[in-house]
Amino acid sequence: MAVIRRLPRYYRYLADLLRVDIKRISSKELSERMGITASQIRQDLNCFGGFGQQGYGYNVETLYKEIGKILGVERRFTTIIIGAGNMGNALANYENFKKRGFDLIGIFDISPNRVGQYINGIEIMHMDRLEEFMKTHVVDIAILTVPSHATAEVAEKVAELGVKGIWNFSPQDLKLSHNVVIENVHLSDGLAVLGYRIKEMEEQEQKKKDKQN
Amino acid sequence: MAVIRRLPRYYRYLADLLRVDIKRISSKELSERMGITASQIRQDLNCFGGFGQQGYGYNVETLYKEIGKILGVERRFTTIIIGAGNMGNALANYENFKKRGFDLIGIFDISPNRVGQYINGIEIMHMDRLEEFMKTHVVDIAILTVPSHATAEVAEKVAELGVKGIWNFSPQDLKLSHNVVIENVHLSDGLAVLGYRIKEMEEQEQKKKDKQN
């Protein structure tokens, strides 16, 4: 699973290489660009059949396509956003999702100020219309950007109505009995890692100073 | 580094346990709750001195405090947000940041419609005032939620003005020559992992069906 979490990153880096017409790359070079050790890269890519060749490195296009297949990028997913606040708006406008195979087909909210407004050409519908919508559309993924206290209830509802996956932006981890894949986003985890790395940098700088004195 | 990225998650789970007054936990139980293998948990926590005891498990409070120390949660960081669009707004309103030690002290934008407005009690200032602001305030972290094309320039500017870390929400990875810690957020990576897991679930369900026939 840890490898899977790194695959989207490999995929992005390989896309960047293709864009500047780089045709092959060694694990060492890829390592320097991505900030992952070369041995980790070899180990990761070996998990998926090892597309590298000793002395040659990796064929960028082949690797890009293979990782794309594993990730299922040729498959398109339909998504709805529930909660049209700031985060919902930001995600609805996120240009990269469509490129990566995720099509937004509906936005829902309960606020009278929001219902009837449009985001990126899509009308915000009242939650009352969710059930009818999901009976007439295939919805693969529900993106939940509702307030924390409402998340569990909304999640149960979309699970019952048949979504396959939930992308949860509330700080509380979701757990459901249904057969639904859940990805919990924890933005503050990223900030905590940043804080840790700043603290580490400061400590190293302090050590350098101490040595000079 | 991979361990470090898991620490905020351990920290959150342990906080949840403390909240319901659970005093000790085995790596097996923790494993079931977190969806990480027990051996991974033992290996991770051993990296930091191994606070577990055979047959007893981990003391939740001790472990929580130790991980907190490693993450530097007692340290507070000052942050500014540059770019007061939807994502900037969402982050400015994110209740968890303050709890986790990150204090928002300034918000900047260039749009005349936004400058002078308030988010969460903080006035949105024009970018023209950034330099003066950073000369009179210690800013540890700049959170960049500006449009992609503007990100590199703004990042260079805040780095020159002395931030220690940048949290970058633009889809393009940032690289700077300065001594600044950068965390690039790639929201679509999370969505790609969700897509992969849905595909995997579907394939397993298909296999089950095939067996039944």
Side-chain angles (χ1 to χ4, degrees):
Chain A
M1 200 58 212
V3 191
I4 297 303
R5 297 202 174 275
R6 279 192 292 273
L7 284 187
R9 231 176 122 206
Y10 285 116
Y11 194 69
R12 265 191 289 114
Y13 270 85
L14 292 165
D16 287 347
L17 293 176
L18 281 179
R19 217 169 292 132
V20 293
D21 220 28
I22 293 179
K23 294 203 162 42
R24 60 171 173 153
I25 192 158
S26 67
S27 49
K28 190 165 165 284
E29 284 168 292
L30 198 55
S31 154
E32 278 156 13
R33 280 173 182 260
M34 293 185 63
I36 300 181
T37 66
S39 80
Q40 177 77 77
I41 288 178
R42 283 190 298 267
Q43 195 184 315
D44 281 353
L45 301 181
N46 277 343
C47 281
F48 298 103
F51 317 101
Q53 235 178 302
Q54 192 100 49
Y56 175 85
Y58 296 95
N59 179 309
V60 175
E61 201 180 345
T62 311
L63 192 54
Y64 176 75
K65 281 186 182 161
E66 289 296 330
I67 291 179
K69 263 189 217 159
I70 295 162
L71 281 173
V73 291
E74 80 286 359
R75 152 91 191 256
R76 296 203 75 83
F77 294 90
T78 52
T79 69
I80 58 171
I81 290 177
I82 303 183
N86 287 313
M87 186 57 86
N89 259 276
L91 296 175
N93 285 302
Y94 206 68
E95 60 207 55
N96 262 32
F97 292 159
K98 201 174 185 119
K99 260 191 244 162
R100 301 281 288 267
F102 299 87
D103 296 312
L104 180 63
I105 60 169
I107 305 173
F108 295 86
D109 204 294
I110 52 165
S111 158
N113 299 327
R114 291 173 186 161
V115 171
Q117 304 278 319
Y118 283 77
I119 308 178
N120 223 342
I122 298 171
E123 191 191 354
I124 304 174
M125 288 172 274
H126 194 279
M127 278 296 278
D128 290 348
R129 290 173 59 191
L130 180 67
E131 192 168 337
E132 168 215 334
F133 184 89
M134 288 195 59
K135 281 180 180 158
T136 50
H137 298 78
V138 174
V139 178
D140 295 316
I141 294 169
I143 303 175
L144 303 192
T145 49
V146 296
S148 298
H149 65 269
T151 303
E153 194 191 324
V154 173
E156 277 294 339
K157 191 164 187 172
V158 290
E160 271 169 33
L161 291 171
V163 295
K164 290 166 185 159
I166 291 176
W167 204 26
N168 169 35
F169 277 78
S170 87
Q172 211 56 39
D173 273 3
L174 260 184
K175 267 165 206 168
L176 291 181
S177 47
H178 301 267
N179 202 10
V180 173
V181 178
I182 298 169
E183 278 283 317
N184 296 298
V185 181
H186 290 284
L187 286 173
S188 40
D189 283 8
L191 202 46
V193 171
L194 185 59
Y196 171 87
R197 291 177 57 204
I198 290 175
K199 195 177 65 108
E200 210 185 29
M201 181 181 75
E202 288 172 341
E203 282 164 6
Q204 280 168 1
E205 281 171 358
Q206 192 54 47
K207 267 186 206 161
K208 256 193 226 164
K209 272 188 204 157
D210 291 348
K211 262 192 191 166
Q212 285 165 351
N213 297 337
Chain B
M1 199 58 212
V3 191
I4 298 303
R5 297 202 175 276
R6 279 192 291 272
L7 284 187
R9 232 175 122 204
Y10 285 116
Y11 194 69
R12 265 191 288 114
Y13 271 85
L14 292 165
D16 288 346
L17 293 176
L18 281 179
R19 217 169 292 132
V20 292
D21 219 27
I22 293 178
K23 295 203 160 42
R24 61 172 172 151
I25 192 159
S26 67
S27 49
K28 191 166 165 283
E29 284 168 292
L30 198 54
S31 153
E32 278 156 14
R33 280 172 182 261
M34 292 185 62
I36 300 181
T37 65
S39 79
Q40 177 78 77
I41 287 178
R42 284 191 296 269
Q43 196 184 313
D44 281 353
L45 301 181
N46 278 341
C47 280
F48 297 103
F51 317 101
Q53 234 178 304
Q54 193 100 48
Y56 174 86
Y58 297 94
N59 179 309
V60 175
E61 201 180 343
T62 312
L63 193 53
Y64 176 77
K65 281 186 182 161
E66 288 296 329
I67 292 179
K69 263 189 218 159
I70 295 162
L71 281 174
V73 291
E74 80 286 359
R75 152 91 191 257
R76 296 204 75 82
F77 294 91
T78 52
T79 68
I80 57 172
I81 290 177
I82 303 184
N86 288 313
M87 185 57 84
N89 259 276
L91 296 175
N93 285 302
Y94 207 67
E95 58 207 55
N96 262 32
F97 293 158
K98 201 175 185 119
K99 259 191 247 164
R100 301 282 289 267
F102 299 88
D103 296 313
L104 181 62
I105 61 169
I107 305 173
F108 296 84
D109 203 294
I110 51 165
S111 158
N113 299 327
R114 292 175 184 159
V115 172
Q117 304 279 319
Y118 284 77
I119 307 179
N120 225 342
I122 298 171
E123 190 190 354
I124 303 174
M125 288 173 274
H126 194 280
M127 278 295 278
D128 290 348
R129 290 174 58 190
L130 180 67
E131 192 168 336
E132 167 214 333
F133 184 88
M134 288 195 60
K135 279 180 183 160
T136 50
H137 298 77
V138 174
V139 178
D140 295 315
I141 294 169
I143 302 175
L144 303 192
T145 48
V146 296
S148 298
H149 64 268
T151 303
E153 194 192 324
V154 173
E156 277 294 340
K157 191 164 188 173
V158 289
E160 271 168 32
L161 291 172
V163 294
K164 290 166 184 159
I166 291 176
W167 205 26
N168 169 35
F169 277 79
S170 87
Q172 211 57 39
D173 274 2
L174 260 183
K175 268 163 203 167
L176 291 181
S177 48
H178 301 267
N179 203 11
V180 173
V181 178
I182 298 169
E183 278 281 316
N184 296 298
V185 180
H186 289 283
L187 286 173
S188 40
D189 283 7
L191 202 47
V193 171
L194 186 59
Y196 170 87
R197 292 176 58 203
I198 291 175
K199 196 177 64 107
E200 209 184 30
M201 181 180 75
E202 288 173 340
E203 284 164 5
Q204 280 167 0
E205 281 172 357
Q206 192 55 47
K207 267 184 205 162
K208 258 192 225 164
K209 271 188 204 157
D210 291 347
K211 262 190 192 168
Q212 287 167 350
N213 299 335

